[in-house]
Amino acid sequence: MLQYVEELDLETRTRTKGVIIACDFPNKTETMKFLSVFPDRDIFVKIGMELFYGEGPSIVEEIKSMGYRIFLDLKLHDTPNTVKKAMKNIAKLGVDMTTIHAAGGKRMMLAAKEGLLTSTGSTLLLAVTVLTSLSEDILKQELLIQQSVEEVAIHYAKNAQNSGADGVICSPLETKMIKLACGDDFVAVTPGIRYAETNDDQSRVATPAMAKTLGSDFIVVGRPITAAVDPVAVYSRILADFLGDV
Ligand code: C5P
């Protein structure tokens, strides 16, 4: 299995559809315990801020060396020069995907791409459009953004595409419009996946089957899997619902 994963080229590893598990754990021990219950390593693992800041870059190297595909989700948002230099270091880790905030502006996104291209690796650069935890009310009242969530998401997606990003992180609810505006090859990775209404921090949500219908390339699922009594069973159900007959 490990050899098989290593042999996959970038196209196969990143352009096919899939389910990414957000391993939002505080440390390596809990992450490894969680991953160990899965029968194989043909899994796309998301390492986010909690785990990365808890363990440092070595956690990325370790999980990668075990054969897992990695989405390093650090959502960079700073001055162009700082982001470029940070991306140079991220590029060395050789992850499959990484993130920036489109709200950082076109110059920042171009700088991120430049930083990423300094390494021989081929990491996909994805721009967060509007966080799936934000609602239209929050945009209007807290952030003073008067346009609809959809308008903002599409506008940010076009900016990202024009700045060299390979795709976006968006809600499944905005995928169709973003694909219409940016083309089908522009990758859409969508968190905010839920089977039922919840009272957690996600706002613009959809089921795995809805995300499939709406055109997501990858869905990112955290707590519905990580907090489940039987994570493997929930992951398998989500995989079947999302991939269906693809
Ligand atoms: O636990 P849950 O399924 O809500 O996890 C979703 C994951 O997707 C989290 O790790 C979160 O950081 C990430 N994410 C998100 N919204 C974005 C970008 C990333 O929820 N716009």
Side-chain angles (χ1 to χ4, degrees), residues 8-246:
L8 291 175
D9 60 15
L10 178 77
E11 197 70 5
T12 316
R13 297 180 73 184
T14 53
R15 294 286 166 161
T16 50
K17 293 187 177 250
V19 176
I20 300 173
I21 305 179
C23 287
D24 293 324
F25 295 108
N27 54 46
K28 176 176 150 183
T29 310
E30 284 189 41
T31 309
M32 295 304 178
K33 192 172 152 212
F34 170 78
L35 290 173
S36 70
V37 301
F38 288 84
D40 67 45
R41 293 177 178 178
D42 187 15
I43 290 175
F44 217 130
V45 171
K46 194 199 97 157
I47 297 174
M49 293 185 203
E50 183 183 8
L51 185 56
F52 187 83
Y53 293 140
E55 295 286 349
S58 63
I59 191 70
V60 178
E61 286 154 353
E62 195 158 338
I63 294 178
K64 187 178 152 65
S65 72
M66 293 165 77
Y68 296 98
R69 280 169 288 167
I70 298 183
F71 168 24
L72 181 59
D73 183 22
L74 300 179
K75 298 187 179 71
L76 303 193
H77 188 170
D78 207 316
T79 54
N81 183 50
T82 299
V83 167
K84 182 175 173 178
K85 288 181 174 165
M87 273 300 171
K88 277 187 178 180
N89 284 335
I90 288 178
K92 290 181 204 152
L93 295 172
V95 295
D96 298 277
M97 301 173 173
T98 196
T99 48
I100 47 175
H101 268 288
K106 288 189 192 176
R107 254 184 81 197
M108 187 206 80
M109 289 190 275
L110 278 167
K113 185 72 178 187
E114 269 176 48
L116 213 46
L117 288 175
T118 54
S119 173
T120 49
S122 30
T123 305
L124 284 196
L125 181 64
L126 304 171
V128 177
T129 54
V130 181
L131 288 170
T132 44
S133 50
L134 296 181
S135 64
E136 203 144 306
D137 273 356
I138 298 178
L139 282 194
K140 285 192 166 57
Q141 284 160 28
E142 290 181 25
L143 305 180
L144 299 182
I145 295 173
Q146 300 308 317
Q147 282 83 356
S148 69
V149 171
E150 289 78 15
E151 283 172 300
V152 178
I154 292 167
H155 184 65
Y156 283 13
K158 284 186 190 161
N159 281 351
Q161 188 174 39
N162 292 332
S163 311
D166 303 288
V168 282
I169 311 288
C170 61
S171 158
L173 308 179
E174 287 120 37
T175 310
K176 239 185 184 146
M177 285 175 289
I178 288 175
K179 292 270 186 182
L180 270 176
C182 300
D184 215 31
D185 285 348
F186 197 56
V187 179
V189 177
T190 64
I193 302 299
R194 295 291 183 267
Y195 275 110
E197 282 294 319
T198 53
N199 276 332
D200 62 25
D201 56 353
Q202 291 290 7
S203 172
R204 304 186 330 277
V205 299
T207 64
M210 280 165 69
K212 176 191 177 192
T213 307
L214 294 168
S216 300
D217 295 298
F218 289 87
I219 54 175
V220 183
V221 191
R223 288 159 292 181
I225 298 174
T226 55
V229 177
D230 185 345
V232 179
V234 176
Y235 173 69
S236 304
R237 178 186 170 198
I238 291 174
L239 207 55
D241 286 353
F242 182 62
L243 295 182
D245 301 317
V246 170

